[in-house]
Amino acid sequence: MTTPRTGADLIHSMHATEGAGFEVRRPFPTSQLSMVDPFLLLDHMGPQDWAPGEAQGAPDHPHRGFETVSYILQGAFEHKDSAGNAGRIGPGAVQWMTAGAGVVHSEMPAKEIQTDGGIMEGFQIWVNLPAAEKMKPPQYQEILASKIPEVTVDDGRTLVRVIAGSFNGNEPAVSTHTPIAYWHVLLGTDGSFSGDLPHDWNAMVYVIHGAVTAGGVDADESDLVILAPDGESVEIVARGSQPADVLVLAGLPIREQVARYGPFVMNTREEIIEAFEDYQSGKMGQIAF
Ligand code: MN
């Protein structure tokens, strides 16, 4: 038996507007919580029901020094970048983009949602890179929903989508630069979940829908439970006689100095200034198709 971790903190999301004007719920970064190393940002986009011609995304913008990871629940996003990658991610799919030394990309609702309207919902997380990997060439991994392993536990009451980090011996869909777990856990009524996580990883549970107890802490929709480093597993149960679903995010902390401003995350203020200069002088390229 492993010792379950206990909840150390309960964070309520703040509301923010991102890109050209879409709504997000954001447990961090805020003035109270700047990051959960190696995670720099957690945004729950929508669900937002767009009228025809109204849907907004994030047109051409740069990143350097970290990774942006998108996971779509409803609707579809279209991506293009200055490294020549393009893709469409629909419900259940993941895009894992390593900005590395620098990339300019656009993240827009799919054409038909822009034209006809529709519901968009998903997540974007930002994952930091160690100093030694911040200036590596950009990479792009796109994972179809059908390629993400799904594991059933708790006598069929709970489904786990294994996006990153192995779960019960099931290998994840993506490879990561530092050790990370990213699991979407869907609990049926009274469903439960237990997952092993190394005690030296930072770990948290974000409630997407419903109500749960995670690490002994009651949390509702849009809440984030930060787990203490006092055990080797995370235990979650659905409460309130209804289904619930959560994200479990965990990772080995990088433990380096972080300098961040807007779309750039580096180690020093000088490197942030250099990033702005490199972007403005065109060194991160442009979307040329
Ligand atoms: Mn972006």
Side-chain angles (χ1 to χ4, degrees):
M1 279 296 288
T2 58
T3 306
R5 291 178 174 223
T6 57
D9 208 355
L10 178 67
I11 310 283
H12 304 297
S13 291
M14 59 163 278
H15 289 258
T17 303
E18 259 305 319
F22 57 88
E23 302 292 320
V24 303
R25 281 173 271 174
R26 175 175 293 165
F28 68 93
T30 66
S31 53
Q32 279 79 42
L33 181 64
S34 62
M35 65 182 291
V36 183
D37 191 7
F39 302 99
L40 299 157
L41 171 145
L42 170 55
D43 271 359
H44 181 180
M45 308 176 282
Q48 197 160 359
D49 191 359
W50 295 103
E54 299 285 316
Q56 300 295 327
D60 306 13
H61 61 278
H63 292 295
R64 171 181 278 180
F66 64 104
E67 305 182 289
T68 68
V69 180
S70 300
Y71 177 45
I72 301 302
L73 297 180
Q74 301 188 71
F77 254 99
E78 287 170 5
H79 167 96
K80 281 186 175 183
D81 71 39
S82 54
N85 299 301
R88 174 194 168 97
I89 43 169
V94 169
Q95 179 208 80
W96 201 290
M97 193 198 73
T98 308
V103 74
V104 173
H105 75 165
S106 71
E107 305 160 279
M108 299 298 292
K111 288 274 179 319
E112 74 275 12
I113 292 173
Q114 293 192 42
T115 307
D116 305 332
I119 297 176
M120 292 284 306
E121 184 178 17
F123 291 92
Q124 184 159 103
I125 67 169
W126 290 8
V127 182
N128 205 6
L129 288 169
E133 305 206 34
K134 282 184 178 294
M135 293 302 280
K136 286 196 167 172
Q139 285 177 12
Y140 182 78
Q141 300 178 77
E142 192 179 285
I143 305 96
L144 295 173
S146 61
K147 300 288 186 199
I148 295 176
E150 294 187 343
V151 184
T152 303
V153 294
D154 189 28
D155 294 329
R157 279 187 291 265
T158 299
L159 177 77
V160 185
R161 307 196 77 234
V162 186
I163 295 167
S166 66
F167 170 73
N168 278 7
N170 292 273
E171 288 309 310
V174 298
S175 62
T176 61
H177 286 83
T178 58
I180 283 164
Y182 188 160
W183 304 328
H184 181 191
V185 179
L186 299 102
L187 306 137
T189 303
D190 300 324
S192 66
F193 169 84
S194 175
D196 291 343
L197 290 172
H199 72 274
D200 55 347
W201 289 19
N202 285 331
M204 59 193 144
V205 177
Y206 175 79
V207 184
I208 307 171
H209 302 109
V212 303
T213 302
V217 172
D218 287 351
D220 296 313
E221 193 169 301
S222 315
D223 287 346
L224 181 73
V225 177
I226 308 278
L227 298 168
D230 57 356
E232 298 82 36
S233 69
V234 51
E235 310 277 339
I236 306 165
V237 292
R239 59 186 172 83
S241 303
Q242 57 175 342
D245 70 316
V246 303
L247 297 184
V248 175
L249 290 169
L252 183 67
I254 294 171
R255 300 188 197 282
E256 290 177 357
Q257 186 181 336
V258 173
R260 64 193 289 178
Y261 194 86
F264 306 126
V265 183
M266 303 301 290
N267 298 104
T268 67
R269 182 180 146 77
E270 289 68 32
E271 290 167 343
I272 290 291
I273 294 166
E274 185 183 20
F276 272 99
E277 288 171 354
D278 286 352
Y279 169 57
Q280 278 159 5
S281 66
K283 285 188 187 159
M284 296 184 193
Q286 57 181 351
I287 301 173
F289 61 99

